[in-house]
Amino acid sequence: MQRKFNHLIDLEDYPKEKWNQMIELAQDIMKSPASFSEKCKGKIMATLFYEPSTRTQMSFQTAMIKLGGSIIGFDNPDNSSVSKGENLKDTIKIVSGYSDILVMRSPLEGAAKVGALVADCPVINAGDGGHLHPTQTLTDLLTLKIQKGRLDNLKIGFCGDLKNGRTVHSLVKALSCYNDNEFTFISTKKLEIPLYIKNYLSSKGISFNVAYSIEEAIESLDVLYMTRIQKERFSSEEEYISQKNVYILDAEKMKLADKDMIVLHPLPRVDEITIEVDDDSRAMYFKQANNGVYIRMALILSAIEGAVGAVPLFSGKEFPEIICTNEKCVTHKETYLPHNFTKNGDMLECEYCEQRILMK
Amino acid sequence: MQRKFNHLIDLEDYPKEKWNQMIELAQDIMKSPASFSEKCKGKIMATLFYEPSTRTQMSFQTAMIKLGGSIIGFDNPDNSSVSKGENLKDTIKIVSGYSDILVMRSPLEGAAKVGALVADCPVINAGDGGHLHPTQTLTDLLTLKIQKGRLDNLKIGFCGDLKNGRTVHSLVKALSCYNDNEFTFISTKKLEIPLYIKNYLSSKGISFNVAYSIEEAIESLDVLYMTRIQKERFSSEEEYISQKNVYILDAEKMKLADKDMIVLHPLPRVDEITIEVDDDSRAMYFKQANNGVYIRMALILSAIEGAVGAVPLFSGKEFPEIICTNEKCVTHKETYLPHNFTKNGDMLECEYCEQRILMK
Amino acid sequence: MQRKFNHLIDLEDYPKEKWNQMIELAQDIMKSPASFSEKCKGKIMATLFYEPSTRTQMSFQTAMIKLGGSIIGFDNPDNSSVSKGENLKDTIKIVSGYSDILVMRSPLEGAAKVGALVADCPVINAGDGGHLHPTQTLTDLLTLKIQKGRLDNLKIGFCGDLKNGRTVHSLVKALSCYNDNEFTFISTKKLEIPLYIKNYLSSKGISFNVAYSIEEAIESLDVLYMTRIQKERFSSEEEYISQKNVYILDAEKMKLADKDMIVLHPLPRVDEITIEVDDDSRAMYFKQANNGVYIRMALILSAIEGAVGAVPLFSGKEFPEIICTNEKCVTHKETYLPHNFTKNGDMLECEYCEQRILMK
């Protein structure tokens, strides 16, 4: 099946030059927003949010409004035809007929790719379960570019639940495409960065550090990227009690950091950064959230104008008998989808959710 | 009470010349949407959806946006003042003060007529329970006009739950106003088209066919209009198992159909049309959904400009002692409404929900 | 902390000359709405509704649309990041980065003041629990001005649950700033106007009347302001049965009133005004709701243009050890907030919710 539109499903579908181009466009928009305020006049963006995410949805809505466009959509599947049993394909097919661009969020991994397969307009992935969230990653890159002036030669620490945090995985992969970045992973043993990310870095000849507290790592960092650790992620109640403060950033720990180190967080936070840190001029997470509007403006505009560039959705082939082993994969609920996989030796990789399956 | 505005509550309030006019206007808009893109600039449409219906609501919103207007409204009574016990009249009265046109959806039969009675602006009925859904019927007519080039001399099959499907009843009645249309009703015995529709056709001298499978009817049709049959509508589990495939349209059955036969469906579908049929060039249900935007543009524009034409809301009289026997009638919940009925021999017909009551 | 923007949190932050100015601007807008229809072009209003209130939200949305601006927001905390445990500060901080003005509604008393403390744009209080609802009060004043031609020298009766009705408390306080207004409080003994309001009036040398039925008071009134009494507010089932009709306004009681007396109600009503009264030309509650749009236009415009005037948010000081005794005070849930109080003799008054605490 051939991609007809400029979708943004997965950052890895594009070379980093394309990301740079989006970041530059976002910066241009920031410089003179007025010259972009009518660019999408008469255009309609539909936001299909199969799980609520106010922040992301409002960021996209703000972006479209600032381009002069309009918005339709839903924020809750309970209020949608989904609750009458309609499949994803039909909803996407119909709503994409109403609109010029579709923004999709779903708890199902690979859902946005289904959007790209069937929509009659470009699709932007606003998060598909624990899988991808490319506009967050581009927001992070834009913020680094603005605050540090570069995307290479950065010492970046990631702290929190590094095992389950898709935001972290995606940003590490993205930054590994730029030269001379150094990674430090700060977490409990149980919540360490996954082996496949470590292997990925090693395969590119990139070394990384592992730390078990913020204190031991913070001094040397240019950037500290904080994420949540949920209480239930610790191995035991005892570990939680003894460890939790180790992964909370407070004013005391900020004293150890360089005066130019910046703190990022994808938000929402719970208590992993204390409120007092907000008043530190190095706290950049609110600016980061705000930057998200501009990168989304760049993406919406580029997608509608056809400037993203169309790439094929599938590169492998159909294996009708093989069922993806990831229970959150969109193919389980949307049973009409072709079972497409890429083959690599004994391994099949699902082309929706990237789950790897060992063939017998 | 005198109608002050151009409401669209019931298609039968207008002669078919008015329908044709709306269909023509929709086609004009399709041809040059740009010349309509500022027609409702500065106007506000309120969508009062007392039950969620994302599809219909987004279709109306898209229509208003494409006319240059703006939207307010709610999609769920739980988030509205209704949950504080407010009556329909007060909500309509106030919201119609905020807006230039009101679009209402309700599970109560006759609710839209209440809208028309009290609103300070035109009201469009976007579905009142199992009673009426005139914009769906106009969408169907527009699609027939575009795809077949005419609204007369058509051989149309209706398949599914013909007993309970308001969409079918309304379209049959509408098409019976055009010359030489032939109807074929395809359903189980239990879900046959109601007697009152049969009598209605007979009274107009229109003959119709009855069939118990798609296969026996499909060959001769110009149009096949599919609808859902819910499992629980079959007489028994046995009947369901033995019969369900008979009423599912698939690629196999499409082979029997004429190369110009088109397939329509009001959507959402569940499984009464298999996904493979979507790729058949005769499958028109997604285009049909899209056409809905243009007929709604025509209606909104005509209502706001006063071009629909005002007709009286009540033609009968008040019978304060008589209570409508339809438990879904809006008069049961909204007890302040006058009990208006038209009288025909021994029968009273409720002027809200069209329930017929035998007087003693 | 210094107020950077023109917030509207509490009417009492401003002298009545400012209120008059808003009322005049609202009247100017009513006279020539077209000359205001592009005043907020390109501006974004965010509505953060932590509890649903369709009426108020639609009124604000309509106001912003009529000024040419756009809208983002949510109407239900369940669909927002709040449900992920985000604090009020973060949500406000981020959303105010997306928008030019913020409208907040919350069940927590003092929540809007938190908005004003942290937002990067002006904040309008659209109701914080049982505490304040200044745009309702301004709507009431505007309606009196339009209908009676003045805000002084009025005989105003308030009827219903005067103990718990914040709308009544606020309007009484506001009208006591104008000369020669006379108040009559009509309620059961149990639901009498609070002592602090009585003391407030006495301290300003304003006398008031107390009545236990509409009938005994209505004849002499220029204005009758009705509010709800909930069944559970009566002392007993017996009292409810014997008393409820005494506080219901019907056509019979309207006969006793002056031909120029107007009836107001903040809406939604339940059954405290019978439907028949709606057709009385003295019933002004629907017009009153409609006037709310224009006062909100005046406020939005003034806040965005900086014409409201910035005033300090806190006038007292921080008492870190003192905890507000009002369990609905926003400081209980948002624990990072400074505990600010004004001191008056032995009393501390919470600067968020105005709760008074006796110091030991």
Side-chain angles (χ1 to χ4, degrees):
Chain A
M1 217 173 303
Q2 191 52 45
R3 232 179 202 189
K4 289 166 295 182
F5 298 100
N6 295 269
H7 306 292
L8 178 68
I9 306 308
D10 183 351
L11 275 186
E12 296 185 44
D13 290 341
Y14 299 98
K16 72 165 190 261
E17 287 69 30
K18 189 63 77 178
W19 313 344
N20 292 340
Q21 200 181 305
M22 291 300 119
I23 291 165
E24 275 163 39
L25 178 54
Q27 289 182 290
D28 289 348
I29 297 171
M30 283 173 139
K31 265 173 225 143
S32 63
S35 48
F36 291 87
S37 68
E38 306 262 301
K39 288 276 184 189
C40 288
K41 205 184 162 201
K43 302 293 182 187
I44 296 176
M45 179 179 82
T47 55
L48 303 191
F49 274 52
Y50 286 91
E51 64 180 3
S53 177
T54 328
R55 173 96 62 263
T56 304
Q57 194 167 18
M58 285 204 276
S59 180
F60 271 107
Q61 289 171 338
T62 304
M64 189 55 168
I65 291 170
K66 283 178 183 285
L67 289 166
S70 299
I71 299 151
I72 59 170
F74 57 81
D75 60 4
N76 194 330
D78 300 342
N79 293 354
S80 80
S81 299
V82 181
S83 60
K84 294 182 192 165
E86 183 169 80
N87 68 40
L88 199 52
K89 179 189 173 178
D90 285 14
T91 305
I92 293 165
K93 194 84 191 158
I94 295 162
V95 179
S96 69
Y98 296 167
S99 52
D100 300 288
I101 188 161
L102 215 79
V103 176
M104 279 184 66
R105 172 110 178 183
S106 171
L108 297 178
E109 303 188 359
K113 181 159 274 190
V114 180
L117 277 169
V118 305
D120 291 322
C121 72
V123 174
I124 295 180
N125 185 0
D128 57 341
H131 182 222
L132 299 167
H133 191 13
T135 64
Q136 177 66 52
T137 306
L138 284 172
T139 298
D140 298 342
L141 293 177
L142 172 62
T143 306
L144 290 172
K145 181 75 181 177
I146 292 171
Q147 296 300 330
K148 307 303 296 182
R150 63 188 193 275
L151 294 175
D152 53 13
N153 195 24
L154 290 169
K155 293 190 178 69
I156 308 156
F158 292 89
C159 175
D161 178 356
L162 306 185
K163 188 178 170 202
N164 303 290
R166 77 179 161 189
T167 314
V168 171
H169 305 170
S170 181
L171 184 55
V172 169
K173 287 205 274 182
L175 285 171
S176 75
C177 298
Y178 295 87
N179 292 330
D180 302 322
N181 287 320
E182 259 187 61
F183 303 101
T184 301
F185 299 116
I186 309 163
S187 72
T188 65
K189 274 232 170 254
K190 200 188 157 202
L191 297 173
E192 263 189 11
I193 195 93
L195 188 62
Y196 90 92
I197 297 275
K198 291 183 181 176
N199 290 342
Y200 178 88
L201 292 174
S202 302
S203 76
K204 296 182 108 177
I206 300 170
S207 64
F208 55 85
N209 312 304
V210 166
Y212 298 104
S213 74
I214 292 174
E215 268 115 333
E216 66 183 282
I218 197 168
E219 279 177 61
S220 62
L221 297 176
D222 297 317
V223 181
L224 175 56
Y225 196 100
M226 295 294 298
T227 65
R228 251 183 302 170
I229 310 187
Q230 290 163 294
K231 185 179 167 179
E232 53 276 25
R233 298 288 196 191
F234 287 88
S235 325
S236 64
E237 182 75 19
E238 293 77 52
E239 198 201 40
Y240 172 70
I241 291 165
S242 71
Q243 291 285 294
K244 65 169 184 167
N245 289 321
V246 175
Y247 301 101
I248 289 177
L249 184 66
D250 57 18
E252 207 54 42
K253 296 194 186 88
M254 283 300 284
K255 286 184 190 159
L256 305 172
D258 190 83
K259 67 173 183 25
D260 292 327
M261 187 199 78
I262 61 168
V263 182
L264 300 184
H265 190 299
L267 304 180
R269 71 166 153 187
V270 180
D271 52 14
E272 59 279 4
I273 302 177
T274 61
I275 301 273
E276 59 193 0
V277 176
D278 299 358
D279 296 326
D280 192 307
S281 63
R282 295 167 292 181
M284 286 298 155
Y285 29 91
F286 294 127
K287 276 200 186 155
Q288 181 187 2
N290 206 14
N291 291 337
V293 171
Y294 296 93
I295 202 75
R296 289 177 179 112
M297 288 175 78
L299 286 167
I300 292 167
L301 186 57
S302 301
I304 286 181
E305 290 185 342
V308 178
V311 295
L313 283 178
F314 288 143
S315 56
K317 67 180 196 106
E318 204 178 333
F319 291 78
E321 305 303 314
I322 307 287
I323 289 170
C324 179
T325 55
N326 172 11
E327 62 182 16
K328 288 176 187 161
C329 179
V330 67
T331 54
H332 289 247
K333 183 141 182 294
E334 308 291 320
T335 50
Y336 51 85
L337 292 169
H339 294 184
N340 272 58
F341 296 88
T342 52
K343 198 165 175 233
N344 190 351
D346 277 356
M347 298 293 286
L348 288 183
E349 187 177 293
C350 174
E351 294 212 64
Y352 298 92
C353 73
E354 299 180 70
Q355 176 83 350
R356 280 158 209 196
I357 306 168
L358 185 65
M359 284 183 82
K360 284 145 212 172
Chain B
M1 217 172 300
Q2 191 53 42
R3 234 181 200 186
K4 289 166 295 182
F5 298 99
N6 294 268
H7 306 292
L8 178 67
I9 306 307
D10 182 351
L11 275 186
E12 295 184 45
D13 290 342
Y14 300 97
K16 72 166 191 262
E17 287 68 30
K18 189 64 77 178
W19 315 343
N20 293 338
Q21 201 181 305
M22 291 299 119
I23 291 166
E24 274 163 40
L25 178 55
Q27 289 182 289
D28 289 348
I29 297 171
M30 284 173 140
K31 266 173 223 144
S32 63
S35 48
F36 291 86
S37 68
E38 307 263 298
K39 287 276 184 188
C40 289
K41 205 182 163 203
K43 301 293 183 189
I44 297 177
M45 178 180 83
T47 55
L48 302 191
F49 273 53
Y50 286 90
E51 63 180 3
S53 176
T54 328
R55 174 96 62 261
T56 304
Q57 194 168 16
M58 284 203 277
S59 181
F60 272 106
Q61 290 172 338
T62 304
M64 189 56 169
I65 292 169
K66 283 177 184 284
L67 289 166
S70 299
I71 298 151
I72 59 170
F74 58 82
D75 59 5
N76 195 330
D78 299 343
N79 292 354
S80 79
S81 299
V82 181
S83 61
K84 296 183 193 163
E86 183 168 79
N87 68 41
L88 198 54
K89 180 189 173 179
D90 285 13
T91 305
I92 292 164
K93 194 81 190 160
I94 295 162
V95 180
S96 69
Y98 296 167
S99 52
D100 300 287
I101 188 162
L102 215 79
V103 177
M104 279 185 66
R105 172 109 177 183
S106 170
L108 297 178
E109 304 189 0
K113 181 160 275 190
V114 180
L117 278 169
V118 304
D120 290 321
C121 71
V123 173
I124 296 180
N125 185 0
D128 57 340
H131 181 222
L132 298 168
H133 191 12
T135 64
Q136 178 65 52
T137 306
L138 284 173
T139 298
D140 298 342
L141 294 176
L142 171 62
T143 306
L144 290 171
K145 181 74 180 178
I146 292 171
Q147 295 300 330
K148 307 303 296 182
R150 64 189 192 275
L151 293 174
D152 53 14
N153 195 23
L154 291 168
K155 293 190 177 70
I156 307 156
F158 292 89
C159 175
D161 178 355
L162 307 186
K163 188 178 168 200
N164 303 291
R166 79 180 158 187
T167 315
V168 171
H169 305 170
S170 180
L171 184 56
V172 168
K173 286 205 272 181
L175 284 171
S176 75
C177 298
Y178 296 87
N179 293 330
D180 302 320
N181 287 319
E182 258 186 61
F183 302 101
T184 302
F185 300 116
I186 310 163
S187 71
T188 66
K189 273 231 171 256
K190 200 187 156 204
L191 297 173
E192 264 189 11
I193 196 94
L195 188 62
Y196 90 90
I197 297 275
K198 290 183 182 177
N199 289 343
Y200 179 89
L201 292 175
S202 301
S203 76
K204 295 181 106 178
I206 300 169
S207 63
F208 54 86
N209 313 304
V210 167
Y212 298 105
S213 73
I214 292 175
E215 268 115 333
E216 64 183 283
I218 197 168
E219 279 178 62
S220 63
L221 298 175
D222 297 316
V223 179
L224 175 57
Y225 196 100
M226 295 293 299
T227 65
R228 250 183 303 170
I229 309 188
Q230 289 164 294
K231 188 180 166 178
E232 55 274 26
R233 299 288 197 190
F234 287 89
S235 327
S236 64
E237 181 75 19
E238 293 77 53
E239 197 201 41
Y240 172 69
I241 291 165
S242 72
Q243 291 284 295
K244 66 170 181 164
N245 289 321
V246 174
Y247 301 102
I248 290 177
L249 183 65
D250 57 18
E252 206 55 41
K253 295 193 187 91
M254 283 300 285
K255 285 184 191 156
L256 305 171
D258 190 82
K259 69 174 181 25
D260 292 328
M261 186 199 80
I262 61 168
V263 181
L264 300 184
H265 190 301
L267 303 179
R269 71 166 153 186
V270 180
D271 52 14
E272 60 279 3
I273 301 177
T274 61
I275 300 275
E276 59 192 1
V277 175
D278 298 358
D279 296 326
D280 192 307
S281 63
R282 294 168 292 181
M284 286 299 154
Y285 30 91
F286 294 126
K287 276 199 186 155
Q288 181 187 3
N290 206 14
N291 292 337
V293 171
Y294 296 94
I295 201 76
R296 287 177 180 112
M297 288 175 79
L299 286 167
I300 292 167
L301 186 56
S302 301
I304 287 181
E305 291 185 342
V308 177
V311 294
L313 282 178
F314 288 144
S315 56
K317 68 179 196 106
E318 205 178 333
F319 291 77
E321 305 303 314
I322 307 287
I323 289 170
C324 179
T325 55
N326 173 10
E327 62 181 16
K328 289 178 187 160
C329 180
V330 68
T331 53
H332 290 246
K333 183 142 181 295
E334 308 292 319
T335 51
Y336 51 85
L337 293 169
H339 294 185
N340 272 58
F341 295 88
T342 52
K343 196 161 177 236
N344 190 350
D346 278 357
M347 298 293 286
L348 288 182
E349 188 177 292
C350 174
E351 294 212 65
Y352 299 91
C353 73
E354 299 182 70
Q355 177 83 351
R356 280 158 208 194
I357 306 168
L358 186 65
M359 286 182 81
K360 285 144 212 172
Chain C
M1 216 173 302
Q2 191 52 42
R3 234 182 202 185
K4 289 167 296 181
F5 298 99
N6 295 268
H7 306 292
L8 177 68
I9 306 307
D10 183 351
L11 274 187
E12 296 184 43
D13 290 341
Y14 300 97
K16 72 165 190 261
E17 287 67 30
K18 190 63 78 178
W19 314 344
N20 292 340
Q21 201 180 305
M22 292 300 119
I23 291 166
E24 274 164 40
L25 179 54
Q27 288 182 290
D28 288 347
I29 297 172
M30 284 173 139
K31 267 174 224 141
S32 63
S35 49
F36 292 86
S37 69
E38 306 263 299
K39 287 276 185 189
C40 288
K41 205 183 163 202
K43 302 294 183 189
I44 296 177
M45 178 180 83
T47 55
L48 303 191
F49 273 53
Y50 286 91
E51 64 179 3
S53 177
T54 327
R55 172 96 63 264
T56 304
Q57 194 168 18
M58 284 203 277
S59 180
F60 272 107
Q61 290 171 337
T62 304
M64 189 56 169
I65 292 170
K66 283 179 184 283
L67 289 166
S70 298
I71 299 152
I72 60 170
F74 58 81
D75 59 4
N76 195 330
D78 300 342
N79 292 353
S80 80
S81 298
V82 181
S83 61
K84 295 183 192 164
E86 183 168 80
N87 67 40
L88 199 53
K89 179 189 173 180
D90 284 13
T91 305
I92 292 165
K93 194 82 191 157
I94 295 163
V95 179
S96 69
Y98 296 167
S99 52
D100 300 288
I101 188 162
L102 214 78
V103 176
M104 280 185 66
R105 172 110 178 182
S106 170
L108 297 177
E109 304 189 358
K113 181 159 274 189
V114 180
L117 278 169
V118 304
D120 291 321
C121 71
V123 173
I124 295 179
N125 185 1
D128 57 340
H131 182 222
L132 299 167
H133 191 12
T135 63
Q136 178 66 52
T137 306
L138 284 173
T139 298
D140 297 342
L141 293 177
L142 171 61
T143 306
L144 290 172
K145 181 73 181 179
I146 292 171
Q147 296 300 329
K148 307 304 295 181
R150 63 188 192 274
L151 293 174
D152 52 13
N153 195 25
L154 290 168
K155 293 191 177 68
I156 308 156
F158 292 89
C159 176
D161 178 356
L162 306 186
K163 186 179 171 201
N164 303 290
R166 78 179 159 189
T167 314
V168 170
H169 305 169
S170 182
L171 184 56
V172 168
K173 287 205 272 181
L175 284 171
S176 74
C177 299
Y178 296 86
N179 293 331
D180 301 322
N181 287 319
E182 258 187 62
F183 303 101
T184 302
F185 301 116
I186 309 163
S187 71
T188 65
K189 273 232 171 256
K190 200 188 157 202
L191 297 173
E192 263 189 11
I193 196 92
L195 187 61
Y196 91 91
I197 298 275
K198 290 183 181 177
N199 290 341
Y200 178 89
L201 292 176
S202 300
S203 75
K204 295 181 107 177
I206 300 169
S207 62
F208 54 85
N209 313 305
V210 166
Y212 298 105
S213 73
I214 293 175
E215 269 115 333
E216 64 183 284
I218 197 167
E219 279 177 63
S220 63
L221 298 175
D222 296 317
V223 180
L224 175 57
Y225 196 100
M226 294 294 300
T227 65
R228 252 183 301 169
I229 308 187
Q230 288 164 295
K231 186 180 166 178
E232 55 274 25
R233 300 288 195 190
F234 287 89
S235 326
S236 64
E237 182 75 20
E238 293 77 52
E239 196 201 41
Y240 172 70
I241 291 166
S242 72
Q243 291 285 295
K244 66 169 182 165
N245 289 321
V246 174
Y247 302 102
I248 290 177
L249 183 65
D250 58 19
E252 206 55 43
K253 297 193 185 89
M254 283 299 284
K255 285 183 191 158
L256 305 171
D258 190 84
K259 68 174 182 25
D260 292 328
M261 186 199 79
I262 61 168
V263 182
L264 299 184
H265 191 299
L267 303 181
R269 71 165 155 188
V270 181
D271 53 14
E272 59 279 4
I273 301 177
T274 62
I275 301 274
E276 59 192 359
V277 176
D278 299 358
D279 296 327
D280 191 307
S281 62
R282 295 168 291 181
M284 285 298 155
Y285 31 91
F286 293 127
K287 276 200 186 154
Q288 181 186 2
N290 205 16
N291 291 337
V293 171
Y294 296 94
I295 202 76
R296 289 177 178 111
M297 288 176 77
L299 287 167
I300 292 167
L301 186 57
S302 301
I304 287 181
E305 291 186 342
V308 177
V311 294
L313 283 178
F314 288 144
S315 56
K317 67 178 197 110
E318 207 178 330
F319 291 76
E321 304 303 315
I322 308 287
I323 289 170
C324 178
T325 55
N326 173 10
E327 61 182 17
K328 289 178 187 160
C329 179
V330 68
T331 54
H332 289 248
K333 184 144 181 292
E334 308 291 321
T335 51
Y336 51 85
L337 292 169
H339 294 185
N340 272 57
F341 295 87
T342 52
K343 197 163 177 235
N344 190 350
D346 277 356
M347 300 292 286
L348 288 183
E349 187 177 293
C350 174
E351 294 213 62
Y352 298 92
C353 74
E354 299 180 70
Q355 178 82 352
R356 280 158 207 195
I357 306 169
L358 186 66
M359 284 184 81
K360 285 145 213 170

